[in-house]
Amino acid sequence: MKPVPSLWPEGLLLTYYGDDFTGSTDVMQAFTAAGVPTVLFLEMPRETDLERFKDARCIGLAGQSRGKSPEWMRQELPVVFQRLKALGAPLLQYKVCSTFDSSPSVGSIGQAIELGLHNFQSTWSPMVVGATQLKRFQVFGHLFAADKGVVYRIDRHPTMSRHPVTPMLEADLRQHLAKQTPRRIGLIDLAQIAEGQAQAQLDSSFGQDQPVIMIDVADERSQIEAGRLIWQNRGHGLFSASSSGLQYALTAFWRSQGQIPGTPALPVSSAAPCIAIASGSCSPLSGEQIQWARAHGFLTCRLDISSCLDVTRQQAEVTRLVDMAVAAIEQGVSPLVFSAEGPDDPAVQRFDELASFAKLSRSDASERVGDALAEIMRQVLDQTRIRRIVVAGGDSSGKVGSHLGLRALTVLAGLVPGVPLCRAWSEDPLRDGLEVVFKGGQLGGADFYGLVRG
């Protein structure tokens, strides 16, 4: 796919840091489908990496800040933002989840904004969260998200309102973000967009205090206008904490100007004889996907949490599950190893108790589960010829990516909105060309694993 010729003379349109792996691939899918070549690195790219992907118009770095503290962010993110900005794109994005789940103590979007804006002299910082393609809508500053075809205000969403770490208890994103940053927060709402007053509202909001200006997105018109406001008011560069709604808004505007192809499209994935799956998500949809897989010929294997948290038993538990998965693959059966089957799973209900018994913090216990799932996937790949894998859950995806020694990802084919099939790039010939899906817990239908297998 050739790069877009006329949008930015230096070539690169946008760089971004994804606050988790699954959201990072979401950005890549949105841009690639629109004809904007994008590459996602799993480590800070070297000069040789940049040369290999010299036709890319968007460069991303998959991160893990969504589950980290503000202290961690202050230590890790400044150098990341500086190095991404130095690549010269007019837009630098801190990519957040379209459900905006965050808190002052975990995954603080406000803290990321404070760190990112240190690198810019701009008079505003745009924020786009709504993405109609993902059934996420921002209306007068309030966020709505669909679940099984029903749209809920985010603080009444059946999953996000009861997220185990960062529950969304406030739908007004201005109020939610104000708990994480003292920065001025403005809004360009649907009425102002409909009345043609969006630019005037933006002009009156500019300031040396670099306010965050949220832009409502609920339909095609507001999405195009959001993209126009950002692109035409980018000045000498902007920092934006946004979901992939930013990509959808920009491409909607560019498409309306005839600068990119009129119909976004990705190749359809081919069938695979067998796939391997690791699920560390405890969302209701992940539970339904596990149940569907069990009923449709997949081998579902539960990771025993208590064994996983015990250093004297963890290796035996990993070996047990690897042996089961390898035996299944040899029979042409796709294995699915999971840590929980939805939020009501006893493993979820007892997790804090099990962590305490193992004398681990909740965070350390979660890390150990992620490490176990990653090690299982690594050994399964080493012992079989499997070439397509799926990882469900942001933290689990990060662990698996690191364990496998992957350097970069590009989009290979489309699956569902927000979840592409990716091609892995690695210096290890056994990993190079691996087909990978990093999936957020809330994305895809119940039959998603069947779709990936084909």
Side-chain angles (χ1 to χ4, degrees):
M1 185 179 291
K2 294 183 178 180
V4 180
S6 61
L7 293 176
W8 189 253
E10 289 81 12
L12 203 57
L13 300 171
L14 183 146
T15 56
Y16 71 96
Y17 174 91
D19 67 353
D20 71 0
F21 270 59
T22 58
S24 299
T25 60
D26 177 16
V27 166
M28 188 168 54
Q29 179 185 30
F31 258 8
T32 303
V36 181
T38 301
V39 58
L40 174 67
F41 290 100
L42 278 63
E43 298 178 5
M44 188 64 70
R46 306 162 301 192
E47 288 299 323
T48 52
D49 297 321
L50 297 175
E51 179 62 24
R52 172 183 248 183
F53 297 100
K54 60 185 177 182
D55 289 338
R57 304 302 299 274
C58 175
I59 290 176
L61 178 64
Q64 53 183 328
S65 56
R66 188 176 173 191
K68 300 298 185 179
S69 68
E71 291 75 21
W72 183 93
M73 291 183 175
R74 288 192 289 270
Q75 291 176 2
E76 302 292 333
L77 292 185
V79 67
V80 170
F81 289 150
Q82 290 166 13
R83 293 183 66 180
L84 288 176
K85 183 177 185 294
L87 295 178
L91 300 177
L92 171 57
Q93 177 185 7
Y94 177 76
K95 195 279 176 186
V96 304
C97 184
S98 61
T99 51
F100 215 72
D101 46 309
S102 55
S103 77
S105 60
V106 179
S108 172
I109 297 170
Q111 178 65 84
I113 291 171
E114 294 303 314
L115 296 171
L117 280 173
H118 281 309
N119 298 285
F120 292 83
Q121 300 299 315
S122 59
T123 56
W124 74 303
S125 178
M127 175 176 282
V128 179
V129 181
T132 60
Q133 292 82 354
L134 303 180
K135 302 301 181 184
R136 307 290 193 257
F137 310 94
Q138 183 178 306
V139 180
F140 294 97
H142 289 69
L143 183 60
F144 295 78
D147 181 75
K148 298 179 184 177
V150 179
V151 177
Y152 297 89
R153 204 172 70 185
I154 199 68
D155 56 349
R156 296 179 182 175
H157 190 279
T159 300
M160 303 318 301
S161 64
R162 53 188 293 212
H163 191 284
V165 179
T166 50
M168 286 297 288
L169 305 178
E170 173 59 68
D172 187 332
L173 297 188
R174 292 165 295 179
Q175 297 295 321
H176 184 78
L177 185 60
K179 296 176 182 178
Q180 303 174 23
T181 173
R183 191 169 296 271
R184 178 162 61 98
I185 303 169
L187 173 68
I188 297 173
D189 64 39
L190 287 179
Q192 291 160 342
I193 292 173
E195 295 166 1
Q197 296 299 311
Q199 186 64 55
Q201 176 64 23
L202 178 58
D203 291 343
S204 68
S205 300
F206 290 145
Q208 295 304 311
D209 59 339
Q210 298 178 294
V212 174
I213 306 298
M214 297 182 173
I215 307 174
D216 275 352
V217 169
D219 55 17
E220 183 180 11
R221 178 178 179 177
S222 54
Q223 192 166 66
I224 291 173
E225 181 65 355
R228 184 197 70 78
L229 287 167
I230 294 167
W231 191 245
Q232 293 186 349
N233 293 276
R234 65 190 184 275
H236 296 294
L238 291 175
F239 176 84
S240 174
S242 293
S243 75
S244 60
L246 175 62
Q247 278 66 37
Y248 288 115
L250 288 170
T251 54
F253 172 64
W254 293 335
R255 192 174 298 114
S256 75
Q257 302 300 298
Q259 293 175 301
I260 59 175
T263 303
L266 287 171
V268 176
S269 64
S270 59
C274 208
I275 66 174
I277 305 161
S279 175
S281 168
C282 60
S283 76
L285 181 55
S286 292
E288 293 175 19
Q289 290 165 342
I290 293 168
Q291 293 162 18
W292 185 96
R294 183 181 297 120
H296 289 82
F298 288 69
L299 174 69
T300 56
C301 314
R302 176 184 289 274
L303 175 71
D304 181 71
I305 300 298
S306 62
S307 296
C308 178
L309 299 184
D310 185 338
V311 292
T312 64
R313 294 188 290 155
Q314 186 185 69
Q315 186 54 54
E317 178 63 4
V318 167
T319 300
R320 179 182 74 86
L321 291 168
V322 169
D323 290 347
M324 291 176 66
V326 170
I329 292 169
E330 290 174 349
Q331 298 298 316
V333 175
S334 297
L336 190 166
V337 178
F338 67 95
S339 58
E341 196 167 334
D344 298 322
D345 190 301
V348 177
Q349 302 299 317
R350 296 187 58 223
F351 190 77
D352 288 338
E353 176 187 342
L354 293 172
S356 178
F357 184 78
K359 298 181 180 180
L360 296 169
S361 68
R362 182 183 182 88
S363 175
D364 289 342
S366 296
E367 289 269 336
R368 193 163 291 182
V369 172
D371 286 336
L373 288 172
E375 180 61 16
I376 290 166
M377 184 63 79
R378 186 189 69 79
Q379 292 190 31
V380 167
L381 286 171
D382 286 347
Q383 296 180 37
T384 68
R385 294 185 178 181
I386 205 86
R387 296 301 292 167
R388 184 176 295 180
I389 67 171
V390 185
V391 188
D395 292 339
S396 301
S397 295
K399 290 289 186 182
V400 171
S402 298
H403 271 62
L404 298 185
L406 308 184
R407 263 221 85 73
L409 300 172
T410 52
V411 171
L412 184 63
L415 293 169
V416 300
V419 189
L421 177 65
C422 299
R423 190 248 199 239
W425 300 80
S426 175
E427 295 169 351
D428 182 348
L430 295 178
R431 302 288 187 249
D432 192 54
L434 184 69
E435 297 179 0
V436 184
V437 178
F438 290 131
K439 190 193 83 67
Q442 289 307 301
L443 296 175
D447 63 347
F448 179 76
Y449 296 133
L451 177 65
V452 176
R453 184 178 60 182

